[in-house]
Structure formats: structure tokens, C-alpha cells
Amino acid sequence: MRGAFFGLDREHAPEALAYAVLEGLAHAIRDNLDALPIRPATIALAGGVAGSLTVAQLIADVTGAKVTVPAASRIVTAYGAFRIIAPIIGLAAKAAPAGEEKKTAGRARKTEKTAGIRDETVVKPRKERAKRAARRFAAYRMAASHARALATALDPAL
């Protein structure tokens, strides 16, 4: 879908538009999860979006999955981007001797097992929002279908 606001008009406050964008994000995540053969019970958020528990709650409500937000999740995206680009711009670390590499990898694994588990926020779906989320997701799917048809009519090259 290219993007559209359904059910909103100029009488709505900017906050309603912002909420609609975030709700659309949650619906898009659910739409993609529905395409998977197995549905995850937990979704982990990382990057800028992880800074908002409102988004985490929306995703939990819409998908029905528990959402975890690790404490360091805001820096994960930047670090991942750095690891991708570093070798290209010549910032890759020099390889350590084979013995040291294994020791370092062992320490890293140990750290991964112990770090972050206590330092994460867990957001559970609210049962009282399940019917509303299901109704709005059905509307999202219908709107997406209409928007795709409209986009194709406006630009047949799509």
C-alpha cells in the first residue's frame, strides 16, 4: 500500500494522524506475520521504534503476541548499520589470532546469555482490546486491498 488515512479528515487533531500511522505499522506487522507458516509468540523490538511503549502496546494488541523491548534496543540498529558499513569504509577490526578469536567468541556468547534478560520491558496484549484490534485489522486489510487497486488504476506500471 502506498499510504492513506481512512476514516480521518481535517477535523481530526494531529495526534489522531500520528496514532493512525503507528496503528498502521502494527497492522502491517500483523499482516506479515499472518504470511508466516508459524506465528511467533514473542516479538522483539529494536531501533528507534523501541523507544515508544505505545508502539509496543499497539503491536502486542494487534498481533496478540508478547512484545519485548530489550534495554539496549535503541542502539541495536545503529550498531548493526555500523557493522555492515565498517568494512566498506575501512573501519573493520583486524582479525585476531585463531586462539584469541575462540576465547573472545566464548565470552561474547556468555555475555549474550546473561545480559539483557533482566533489562527488558515485556508488553503483553490486552485481552479487552482483542475484539477492537481484530475489527480494525479487518478494516486495514480491506483498505489495503482497495488502495492497491486504486494505485494500480492511477499508475498501471505498479
Side-chain angles (χ1 to χ4, degrees):
M1 177 173 0
R2 295 262 177 178
F5 290 99
F6 290 96
L8 297 177
D9 58 30
R10 67 178 85 187
E11 301 300 319
H12 285 85
E15 294 84 6
L17 295 173
Y19 186 86
V21 169
L22 298 176
E23 190 176 36
L25 170 69
H27 290 306
I29 290 170
R30 175 168 173 195
D31 203 24
N32 285 303
L33 291 176
D34 285 352
L36 296 175
I38 298 173
R39 216 156 169 181
T42 303
I43 299 169
L45 292 186
V49 72
S52 169
L53 290 181
T54 299
V55 175
Q57 187 65 66
L58 271 169
I59 293 170
D61 290 343
V62 169
T63 63
K66 180 173 62 171
V67 175
T68 61
V69 183
S73 62
R74 300 272 324 245
I75 63 167
V76 171
T77 303
Y79 181 65
F82 171 76
R83 288 192 60 184
I84 291 169
I85 197 74
I88 296 169
I89 61 174
L91 294 177
K94 293 182 180 178
E100 289 180 34
E101 208 171 306
K102 288 179 183 173
K103 288 178 188 173
T104 303
R107 281 195 302 272
R109 278 197 298 275
K110 185 176 181 184
T111 302
E112 284 178 11
K113 289 179 184 174
T114 58
I117 294 172
R118 288 170 285 139
D119 299 333
E120 70 180 12
T121 302
V122 178
V123 180
K124 296 180 180 176
R126 299 174 290 188
K127 290 180 183 177
E128 69 274 11
R129 302 286 282 204
K131 286 183 183 176
R132 178 184 189 272
R135 186 179 70 250
R136 293 175 73 87
F137 180 68
Y140 167 86
R141 278 255 174 101
M142 188 183 311
S145 174
H146 290 299
R148 276 191 288 278
L150 181 59
T152 301
L154 293 172
D155 186 356
L158 296 176

